Amino acid sequence: VVSTQSTGKPVNAISGHTKTVFHLKFLDTKTLISASVDGTLKQWTYDSGQCLRTYKGHQSSVKFIGLDVVGEHIVCGSEDNSLFLYHEALSKPVMRHQLPASTSLLGNPAGDQEERHVTSVVVVGEKLCAANDAGVIHILTLSEDKKLKHVST
């Protein structure tokens, strides 16, 4: 973590994951979320580097891919082509949504569901966009019954 208000020297070095960290997002101005290929998300205090919570919920060796934060919620994609929604205060996911098997944008079959994985996730307002390795962008919204619903593919 490097402060932009200083000489560029690190403010803190945070460690705690057992494998490569590949995504970072601020939950707020004092709290950082990290995603690692060790299969966990972690919530850290920005200044002290203290781990406040470890988020788990994936089965087998599925890793987190794509990460975004909206309010008190954290959304991430997975190698099994699903999305996981976490509340910042809970270590287990509050929702899992399996994206449908897709056809690539070129019209070629995209392969088996197990072969697809989410490559990017972004949340804007109440819309969630998730792209996968078939080149398909799924646009979803949270419905009144608290489930993700496809708006378009």
Side-chain angles (χ1 to χ4, degrees):
V1 179
V2 177
S3 172
T4 58
Q5 299 176 346
S6 70
T7 61
K9 294 180 182 175
V11 173
N12 200 355
I14 299 172
S15 63
H17 283 288
T18 59
K19 294 189 178 175
T20 304
V21 173
F22 59 91
H23 285 291
L24 296 170
K25 283 283 191 180
F26 279 102
L27 185 61
D28 54 45
T29 59
K30 304 233 182 245
T31 314
L32 182 69
I33 301 292
S34 60
S36 169
V37 295
D38 66 9
T40 64
L41 295 171
K42 290 187 180 280
Q43 183 184 122
W44 310 90
T45 58
Y46 171 77
D47 340 358
S48 71
Q50 176 188 5
C51 181
L52 301 174
R53 183 170 316 283
T54 298
Y55 301 93
K56 298 180 180 180
H58 286 78
Q59 297 175 357
S60 68
S61 63
V62 176
K63 312 293 190 295
F64 296 99
I65 300 180
L67 172 70
D68 206 356
V69 173
V70 58
E72 299 175 334
H73 290 90
I74 303 155
V75 63
C76 63
S78 185
E79 288 180 346
D80 68 352
N81 208 34
S82 18
L83 298 168
F84 287 80
L85 181 70
Y86 292 83
H87 185 276
E88 70 168 295
L90 303 172
S91 296
K92 298 266 184 195
V94 294
M95 183 187 320
R96 176 179 184 247
H97 178 80
Q98 182 73 46
L99 293 175
S102 305
T103 301
S104 76
L105 297 176
L106 301 175
N108 300 324
D112 295 334
Q113 183 72 14
E114 291 74 33
E115 295 177 11
R116 299 294 100 205
H117 64 272
V118 176
T119 56
S120 183
V121 175
V122 64
V123 179
V124 177
E126 296 187 16
K127 297 280 191 265
L128 184 152
C129 299
N132 68 14
D133 61 345
V136 177
I137 300 170
H138 298 270
I139 303 170
L140 304 103
T141 188
L142 192 60
S143 67
E144 290 180 21
D145 59 353
K146 303 297 182 204
K147 294 186 177 178
L148 287 172
K149 301 286 184 184
H150 270 84
V151 175
S152 65
T153 302

